C-alpha cells in the first residue's frame, strides 16, 4: 500500500451538500420507525451465534454490512460462511422509513460526515454487525472445491454474533505476520484462488490508488491510498456471494442483476496498441485483466495504462427481470452474472435482491413488496449512483483547489495519465492536453500542452479556484 498525505486547511463542504440537495436528518416518522425497530430488534429462530464471525472494514466504520467465517472442508475444499445485515427485518414495507430510503437510494460519504441510507440507530446500531452483539443476519453458506468452484449454496435468516472488528491496515499487518484470526486465516489463500479464477474467465480489476480526505486537527489531509492485498481478497468473497445470488435469481427467472457490457473488441485492441509504447508486456493469449494484474500502478507508465483500461469498464447498470431472462445478464468486469446483495445498510437495491434470493432458495413466492420494487430500482439506483459519485469527486476537487489556491504559478513534478483523443471533426476543439497526477501534493487534474502518455513532466499551476472547484495546469 502506498499512502501520501498532504495537509489541507479547513474546508466547508456545506455548499457541496446544498448543490447536490443532500438531505439533512430524517423525517420524524422515518426516524421514529427506525428507533422503534432498534429498540425491539428481530431475533431469527435459527441460531448461528456459535460461529465466530469477523468483520473487515475501513478504520472507524460503524455501518458493518458483512461478517465472515472461513473453514477448510474435508479434502481440498473450503466453506465460506458470510453473514449480511438483515436490513429487511428492520424496515417495514410501506412505512415511512422505507419511503425515505427510496428517496436516498444509498449512503453518500463526505469527509465531514455521511448522509446515511438508514438512521444511525439502525445503520450504526441495531442492524450493524458490530462485535459482541447478537444481530439478525442473512447467512450465506457457500461450499467450494479445491479449485474454488462453487459446489453448494445455502441461505437462511439467522442470529449471529461477530467476535472481532478488523480494519484493512491492521488486518494486512496481521496477515503479513501470519497472525490473522483463525476465522479468516484462510482469506489470503482463498482470495488469491478466487482472483486467479476470475482472471482466467476474463474478469478485470483496476487497481488505481484512490484519493481520499481524512481529518487532521482542524483541517484535512489529502491522501493517496493504494489498496492492500487483503482488500482484494475480501472483495472476492463479496463477488463470490454476488455471483451465487445471480445464479439463484436467474434459475428462478426473477431478480435484479448488476450488469455491464463486456469490453468491446475494438476497445481491447486500442488498449493493446497502447501497451507497447508504455512498455507494458502483453503475452499472447492474455486478457486485459491478466495484463493489468501484473502491473505496479504506482509507476507512471503502468498507471497510465490502467487509466486507459478504464475505457473497458463502461455501462454499468441494474437490470430487473421477471419471467423473461435478460439478453445480457453478465457483468463485464466480473465476467459472470452478478448481483448486489452484500451491502444492504448502504445500498437500497441489496435489500430487495436478498429478499428475492431468500424466497427462491426456500421455494416460496417472492413477497409482493419485493417483486413490485424490482422494476423501479434501476432508475433510482442510477440517479443515486450519480449523486454519490458527484459527492466523492466534488469533495476531492474542492480540497485540491483549497490546497493549491495560494500556489498559482508554481511548478510541480507529475506523471501523464491520459491524453486527449484527436478531434473527430464533430466536437468543438479545445487546447491539446490531458490528465496529470502530481507527485506532491497528490492531485490529479487537467493539463494543457504536448503531453507524452506515461511519461514524467514538469507542469505549472495556472488555476486553483475553490469557488468552482477547478484546478488546471500547463506543461512547463
Amino acid at each position: 500500500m502506498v499512502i501520501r498525505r498532504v495537509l489541507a486547511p479547513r474546508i466547508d463542504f456545506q455548499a457541496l451538500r446544498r448543490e447536490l440537495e443532500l438531505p439533512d436528518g430524517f423525517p420524524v416518522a422515518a426516524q421514529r420507525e427506525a428507533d422503534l425497530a432498534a429498540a425491539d430488534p428481530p431475533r431469527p429462530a435459527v441460531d448461528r451465534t456459535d460461529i465466530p464471525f469477523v468483520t473487515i472494514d475501513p478504520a472507524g466504520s460503524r455501518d458493518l454490512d458483512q461478517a465472515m467465517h472461513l473453514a477448510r472442508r474435508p479434502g481440498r475444499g473450503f466453506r465460506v460462511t458470510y453473514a449480511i445485515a438483515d436490513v429487511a427485518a428492520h424496515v417495514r414495507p410501506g412505512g415511512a422509513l422505507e419511503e425515505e430510503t427510496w428517496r436516498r437510494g444509498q449512503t453518500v460519504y463526505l469527509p465531514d460526515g455521511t448522509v446515511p441510507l438508514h438512521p444511525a440507530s439502525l445503520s450504526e446500531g441495531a442492524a450493524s454487525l458490530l462485535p459482541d452483539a447478537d444481530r439478525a443476519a442473512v447467512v450465506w453458506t457457500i461450499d467450494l472445491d479445491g479449485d474454488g468452484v462453487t459446489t453448494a449454496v445455502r441461505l437462511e435468516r439467522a442470529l449471529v454474533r461477530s467476535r472481532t472488528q478488523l480494519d484493512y491496515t491492521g488486518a494486512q499487518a496481521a496477515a503479513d505476520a501470519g497472525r490473522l484470526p483463525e476465522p479468516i486465516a484462510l482469506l489470503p489463500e482463498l482470495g488469491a484462488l478466487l482472483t486467479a479464477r476470475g482472471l482466467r474467465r476474463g474478469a478485470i480489476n483496476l487497481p488505481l490508488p484512490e484519493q481520499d480526505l481524512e481529518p487532521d486537527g482542524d483541517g484535512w489531509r489529502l491522501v493517496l491510498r493504494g489498496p492492500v492485498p487483503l482488500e482484494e481478497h475480501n472483495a472476492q468473497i463479496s463477488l463470490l456471494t454476488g455471483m451465487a445470488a445471480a445464479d439463484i435469481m436467474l434459475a428462478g427467472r426473477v431478480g435484479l442483476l448488476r450488469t455491464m457490457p463486456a469490453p468491446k473488441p475494438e476497445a481491447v485492441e486500442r488498449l493493446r496498441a497502447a501497451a507497447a509504447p508504455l512498455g507494458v508486456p502483453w503475452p499472447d493469449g492474455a486478457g486485459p485483466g491478466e495484463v493489468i494484474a501484473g502491473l505496479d500502478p504506482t509507476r507512471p507508465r503502468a498507471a497510465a495504462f490502467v487509466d486507459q483500461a478504464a475505457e473497458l469498464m463502461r455501462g454499468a447498470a441494474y437490470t430487473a427481470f421477471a419471467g423473461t431472462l435478460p439478453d445480457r445478464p453478465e457483468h463485464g468486469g466480473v465476467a459472470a452474472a452478478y448481483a448486489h446483495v452484500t451491502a444492504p445498510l448502504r445500498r437500497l437495491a441489496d435489500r430487495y435482491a436478498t429478499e428475492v434470493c431468500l424466497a427462491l432458495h426456500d421455494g416460496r413466492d417472492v413477497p409482493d413488496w419485493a417483486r413490485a420494487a424490482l422494476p423501479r430500482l434501476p432508475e433510482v439506483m442510477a440517479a443515486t449512483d450519480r449523486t454519490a459519485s458527484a459527492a466523492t469527486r466534488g469533495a476531492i476537487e474542492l480540497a485540491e483547489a483549497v490546497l493549491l489556491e495560494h500556489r498559482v504559478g508554481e511548478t510541480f513534478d507529475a506523471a501523464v495519465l491520459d491524453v486527449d483523443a484527436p478531434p473527430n471533426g464533430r466536437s468543438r476543439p479545445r487546447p491539446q492536453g490531458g490528465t496529470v497526477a502530481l507527485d506532491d501534493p497528490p492531485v490529479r487534474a487537467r493539463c494543457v500542452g504536448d503531453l507524452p502518455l506515461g511519461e514524467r513532466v514538469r507542469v505549472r499551476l495556472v488555476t486553483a479556484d475553490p469557488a468552482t472547484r477547478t484546478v488546471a495546469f500547463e506543461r512547463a
Side-chain angles (χ1 to χ4, degrees):
M1 177 174 64
V2 177
I3 297 180
R4 283 185 277 143
R5 296 181 171 90
V6 174
L7 183 63
R10 300 179 68 172
I11 303 172
D12 184 2
F13 297 97
Q14 289 303 311
L16 180 60
R17 289 173 176 268
R18 291 191 295 270
E19 176 185 321
L20 296 175
E21 299 181 346
L22 299 177
D24 182 13
F26 282 81
V28 172
Q31 183 69 55
R32 183 184 302 114
E33 279 191 24
D35 293 345
L36 288 173
D40 186 22
R43 290 187 69 86
V46 177
D47 190 326
R48 301 295 181 206
T49 56
D50 59 314
I51 300 174
F53 286 104
V54 172
T55 62
I56 313 176
D57 292 272
S61 296
R62 296 282 299 173
D63 52 345
L64 309 185
D65 285 290
Q66 311 117 11
M68 183 190 316
H69 180 272
L70 306 177
R72 205 177 295 278
R73 296 173 60 224
R76 296 174 54 244
F78 302 88
R79 171 163 288 179
V80 175
T81 312
Y82 205 35
I84 307 300
D86 190 359
V87 177
H90 295 80
V91 179
R92 178 172 61 86
L97 178 56
E98 183 187 45
E99 180 181 351
E100 180 62 16
T101 60
W102 275 82
R103 186 164 77 94
R104 296 175 180 235
Q106 60 188 284
T107 296
V108 175
Y109 292 91
L110 284 167
D112 61 345
T114 63
V115 182
L117 177 60
H118 303 90
S121 56
L122 290 181
S123 62
E124 299 183 3
S128 178
L129 302 184
L130 296 165
D132 301 321
D134 290 351
R135 291 290 187 262
V138 176
V139 179
W140 294 79
T141 303
I142 304 175
D143 288 342
L144 310 171
D145 67 15
D147 296 320
V149 177
T150 297
T151 58
V153 176
R154 188 173 76 246
L155 185 58
E156 61 186 352
R157 281 194 153 98
L159 196 69
V160 303
R161 176 182 283 260
S162 172
R163 302 298 199 273
T164 305
Q165 179 179 355
L166 302 177
D167 64 76
Y168 288 121
T169 302
Q172 186 62 55
D176 293 342
R179 294 197 303 268
L180 274 176
E182 185 61 29
I184 58 167
L186 293 173
L187 185 55
E189 178 186 350
L190 181 55
L193 178 65
L194 294 174
T195 296
R197 281 188 56 81
L199 293 176
R200 287 195 296 272
R201 69 173 181 264
I204 301 173
N205 178 45
L206 302 180
L208 277 174
E210 293 184 357
Q211 291 172 291
D212 197 6
L213 283 168
E214 58 183 32
D216 186 271
D218 291 334
W220 299 92
R221 288 188 184 276
L222 184 61
V223 176
L224 186 66
R225 192 192 314 275
V228 299
L230 214 62
E231 286 185 72
E232 172 60 21
H233 300 327
N234 191 47
Q236 288 299 321
I237 304 302
S238 182
L239 288 171
L240 174 72
T241 308
M243 289 187 286
D247 288 345
I248 289 173
M249 290 188 282
L250 288 169
R253 306 183 75 84
V254 58
L256 181 72
L257 302 178
R258 185 63 166 163
T259 57
M260 190 175 74
K264 295 181 178 179
E266 55 268 29
V268 175
E269 285 307 309
R270 285 196 297 270
L271 183 64
R272 189 188 298 272
L278 290 172
V280 172
W282 193 310
D284 290 342
E290 293 171 299
V291 174
I292 294 167
L295 301 179
D296 176 2
T298 63
R299 302 180 64 180
R301 288 189 166 199
F305 183 82
V306 174
D307 196 81
Q308 300 298 299
E311 292 299 317
L312 304 179
M313 311 282 279
R314 304 294 185 193
Y318 288 88
T319 300
F321 62 99
T324 302
L325 296 180
D327 291 335
R328 297 177 180 174
E330 293 83 14
H331 187 288
V334 181
Y338 167 68
H340 276 165
V341 293
T342 62
L345 285 173
R346 294 171 280 157
R347 223 167 27 211
L348 179 67
D350 299 44
R351 185 197 315 164
Y352 298 90
T354 295
E355 204 65 33
V356 172
C357 289
L358 281 163
L360 293 174
H361 177 271
D362 294 344
R364 299 181 284 108
D365 291 337
V366 175
D368 290 341
W369 60 266
R371 182 183 286 270
L374 298 179
R376 299 166 48 210
L377 282 164
E379 182 177 354
V380 170
M381 296 308 298
T384 56
D385 275 345
R386 290 191 293 270
T387 299
S389 296
T392 299
R393 189 59 210 159
I396 295 297
E397 289 172 345
L398 176 59
E400 291 175 333
V402 170
L403 181 66
L404 292 172
E405 66 176 323
H406 301 300
R407 302 183 67 179
V408 173
E410 293 186 30
T411 58
F412 302 82
D413 291 315
V416 180
L417 295 183
D418 192 20
V419 296
D420 296 338
N424 57 19
R426 295 188 299 274
S427 59
R428 178 181 297 177
R430 64 174 179 172
Q432 181 182 15
T435 302
V436 296
L438 270 62
D439 292 347
D440 185 20
V443 168
R444 175 175 171 150
R446 176 155 180 83
C447 179
V448 298
D450 183 12
L451 300 177
L453 183 64
E455 299 296 331
R456 302 187 58 76
V457 294
R458 291 285 290 176
V459 298
R460 181 179 295 106
L461 179 64
V462 295
T463 302
D465 184 358
T468 59
R469 302 196 295 272
T470 302
V471 172
F473 295 86
E474 63 182 9
R475 185 170 181 184

